[in-house]
Amino acid sequence: PLVEQLNNDSVDIVFLTTYGGYAESLTWLEYAHVMNDTHVVLVPWSNPLSKKDLLTNEDLKGQSMIAFAEPDLLERQEDDTDNLGNTLFLKDPLSVRTLVSAGFGISVMVSHAAPQSNDYFKVIPLDNTRMDISACYRSENDKASLKLFLELVKEVVPAN
């Protein structure tokens, strides 16, 4: 939906994760790096993983996963989702937290959107994860306000 709105000029800019080659595959899309993010895992306290302070991908093997995924993400990555085993995809992030809290599984999410640890689950960093968050826009968009915003991003955000 966000990329579609950007493509049909409903919005001038969206903030997206640029991983998996999706952004690069859209030839009309330009993007400017804004920040890096990492992943964390929401683990119910009843799960033995909650005793750890850092998790690896190896730790996640065999776990029941509860994931937030927009429908367009599932359509784009259909081949990848076939290999995820015991994974439940939900369209609502609050439902993900509710099911993790009830002990039905764990959930991996970006750290900037993750809730704090609470009485129901622990939020644990996932090792070796890094993801770029970028301001994405149409290459033909020549609005002055967009150009000023992009200049500000280049000024404020350190180069990687």
Side-chain angles (χ1 to χ4, degrees):
L2 287 176
V3 173
E4 189 176 298
Q5 291 175 15
L6 191 61
N7 193 23
N8 68 24
D9 288 326
S10 298
V11 297
D12 291 326
I13 195 165
V14 298
F15 294 90
L16 299 172
T17 56
T18 51
Y19 64 94
Y22 177 66
E24 294 88 347
S25 72
L26 302 173
T27 56
W28 54 268
L29 184 71
E30 297 285 333
Y31 50 94
H33 174 78
V34 175
M35 65 180 274
N36 293 322
D37 202 357
T38 58
H39 288 86
V40 296
V41 185
L42 277 58
V43 180
W45 287 107
S46 59
N47 187 307
L49 291 178
S50 68
K51 292 177 177 50
K52 295 189 169 205
D53 293 321
L54 181 68
L55 296 173
T56 66
N57 285 329
E58 189 68 28
D59 293 324
L60 305 184
K61 288 185 179 177
Q63 295 287 323
S64 293
M65 303 289 288
I66 302 165
F68 168 67
E70 295 180 17
D72 68 319
L73 177 67
L74 293 177
E75 290 169 14
R76 288 196 315 267
Q77 297 189 352
E78 188 174 316
D79 293 340
D80 293 340
T81 58
D82 289 342
N83 297 320
L84 290 177
N86 192 16
T87 303
L88 172 65
F89 291 98
L90 300 172
K91 296 178 188 176
D92 174 32
L94 185 56
S95 296
V96 171
R97 282 180 273 190
T98 301
L99 289 178
V100 169
S101 296
F104 286 103
I106 65 173
S107 184
V108 176
M109 61 178 50
V110 290
S111 60
H112 79 270
Q116 298 290 318
S117 294
N118 60 34
D119 291 342
Y120 304 103
F121 56 78
K122 181 178 181 181
V123 178
I124 306 171
L126 185 58
D127 198 23
N128 289 326
T129 58
R130 185 185 151 213
M131 176 174 55
D132 293 331
I133 308 287
S134 296
C136 300
Y137 55 97
R138 290 183 60 81
S139 52
E140 306 90 42
N141 189 333
D142 59 354
K143 290 184 180 175
S145 57
L146 176 63
K147 288 181 180 182
L148 285 172
F149 175 78
L150 293 171
E151 285 177 23
L152 178 65
V153 166
K154 288 177 185 171
E155 216 174 279
V156 173
V157 176
N160 283 342

